[in-house]
Amino acid sequence: MRRTLIAVVTVIVLAGAAYYGLFVVPSQQLRAGLDQTIATLPARYSVKYGGARYSLFSHTATITDLSIQGPASYPLNQTIAKITVEHPALDFVDQWNKAQANPSALKPDQAIPVADRVTVEGAKFSGNGGGATAGSGTIASSSLAKIRIYPWPFFQPGVPPLQDFGTVFLSALEAQKKVTAEQQALLAQQQKSLAQPRDPAQQGAAPTPADFQRLQKDALDALLPLARLEAVVYLGLGFDSFDSSGLDVTSVMPASAAAPFGNLHVAASKMHLAAFDRGIGDGSTTDGMVEEFGPSGKIAVDHASLGNMVLRDTAARLVNGAPLTMALLDGASFEGMEFDGMSVTLPTGGATQIQKIVLSNLTFDHSFLKSFGFNITGLKQDASSLDGRAKAAFQQLGLTTLTINIATSFQWDADKKTATLHDNSISIDELGSLQLNADLVNVGPSGVAGPELPGFSKAVLRYQDGSFINRLLSAGGKRTPEQLAQMRQAFAANMLHNLGAFAADPKLAGSVTAITDFAKTPQNLTVTLAPSAPVPLAAIKDLAAQGPQTLVDTLGLSVTANQ
């Protein structure tokens, strides 16, 4: 009996010791680590938490009731109901201290793992930038998988210590507010001078181009510290995926010329980011996104996606102290951005539906835009949501809805100093389409394009008629097909008369015939400019002043129809 009692007591003692070793001690270490981390945060920030425990069985840390209070100059109130960290890197602090002790030995791709997954539940925030702008929001849940930190950018020359990030951030915000106030003052003074052009005092006080140039420089100087901090984060962060749900953010700001709406409300039901590593992202998707601009309207998007993004070199240049110029973007690329199922609510109360908007193949080189594509598909405009004059124009054409499509693409060759504008078009399904293709020369920044003026070597403009011309002539459907045919014949004869001597020029015989054929039977009309030598764009005005014949001969104009 005695031995049994001793055995039971021994088991209880061992169990207590095991509990203390497996639960109490790790949890105490977690809290000690949290307290140490909180102590390194920027001054005037207050961080508290309700509970913190760590389980050696599941290798999971749990922090509850976290709250963050900002300083008076940047009032911020953020609360998080629960943070769960799965398989945290227990040596993270030691690895970070080693990196800080010997930053010259760091490599840009040297990572410190943080955790297998970090999940945040019940995040709420509110506050303002110390001025009139205020905001609040909630995120139901979010999680990061395989999160890692790259310490290299945090210890580069000129990068402030981590504990000073908050101070730099606040100082940059103050500088931006100062620039914004000065901008509003200059714009107000400019409006006064325009309203009173005969008042010498107002004209003398009007802002000059030099004032706006100085203000632009001040704005870039105010933005640079924030851009650099963001670049540090871009180069210093990596994760395998990010997911969130239940995003709902509201911002209240004073209306101005730059932001005419005072309230902004953004919500998204679900968001997913694929892998991100040191400024290179594998894309993202967002579902159920809504942006409300108060009385200015609302935009709703069923599905939005962002393709691969490459900003590593751009971020590295910023970290190393490069100024905010186009050269920062050399080598940067965005595979694409797409919005599907978009609805735009207008201030008048009507709505515009857009099937799809796509921005694609955005790249930069030699401090210049190298390529891009942009498409709008299925933009439906209902006449009932328009004002009186626009609605009357719809009725004149016998339409209640327009379906608009827009496309443009640009490709620049730095070595040849040429660019192409191909498949640039605007079409209205109910009326017709207009397409432009052009080959440009001497295109690019001054250091690349050389002293020659930008110009074109060929351009083709094509109009494809659907029903526009007949609708235009029908006077709202009041004319018969026979009357329309007679009007087109009269239009063709009148055009020949207006051409005058051009109609008798043998070199233009084919073009004249094409124009009259199109006037009689409007199907399509193509205007081609094929000069024997590239024509500078700036010279076209002077050519036109020399008379139509010189313009036509120099541009190599020809016209075809119904082909």
Side-chain angles (χ1 to χ4, degrees), residues 157 159 223-232 235 311-325 328:
V159 175
L223 180 61
L224 182 57
L226 289 180
R228 197 174 192 196
L229 292 185
E230 185 176 356
V232 169
L235 285 182
L311 287 174
R312 183 175 292 172
D313 291 344
T314 297
R317 295 186 188 104
L318 277 170
V319 168
N320 290 325
L324 293 177
T325 66
L328 279 175

Side-chain angles (χ1 to χ4, degrees), residues 240-275:
D240 283 4
S241 66
F242 170 81
D243 293 276
S244 72
S245 62
L247 170 70
D248 194 295
V249 178
T250 298
S251 178
V252 180
M253 63 193 79
S256 66
F261 48 87
N263 298 335
L264 174 64
H265 175 231
V266 179
S269 62
K270 185 169 65 174
M271 182 183 297
H272 171 76
L273 276 68

Side-chain angles (χ1 to χ4, degrees), residues 3 9 34 40 70 124-125 166 189 198 214 255-256 313 406 447 516 523 540:
R3 291 180 179 178
V9 171
L34 284 173
T40 63
K124 300 179 180 180
F125 71 89
Q189 187 58 49
R198 297 183 180 180
R214 175 187 54 78
S256 66
D313 291 344
I406 300 172
T516 55
Q523 296 176 14
I540 295 178

Side-chain angles (χ1 to χ4, degrees), residues 24 27 43 141 174 198 208 296 368 371 410 412 470 561:
V24 177
S27 295
S141 67
E174 289 297 324
R198 297 183 180 180
T208 65
S296 297
F368 200 69
S371 66
F410 173 84
W412 177 57
N470 279 340

Side-chain angles (χ1 to χ4, degrees), residues 21 63 150 165 188 230 240 295 321 389 415 474 478 489 493 508 517-518 536:
I63 304 167
Y150 296 89
F165 271 32
E230 185 176 356
D240 283 4
R389 294 181 61 182
D415 295 329
S474 68
K478 297 177 182 179
Q489 290 283 358
L508 295 177
D517 286 347
F518 176 77

Side-chain angles (χ1 to χ4, degrees), residues 131-154:
T133 301
S136 63
T138 60
I139 301 177
S141 67
S142 59
S143 68
L144 277 167
K146 297 292 184 182
I147 185 172
R148 51 200 176 271
I149 299 296
Y150 296 89
W152 178 84
F154 292 90

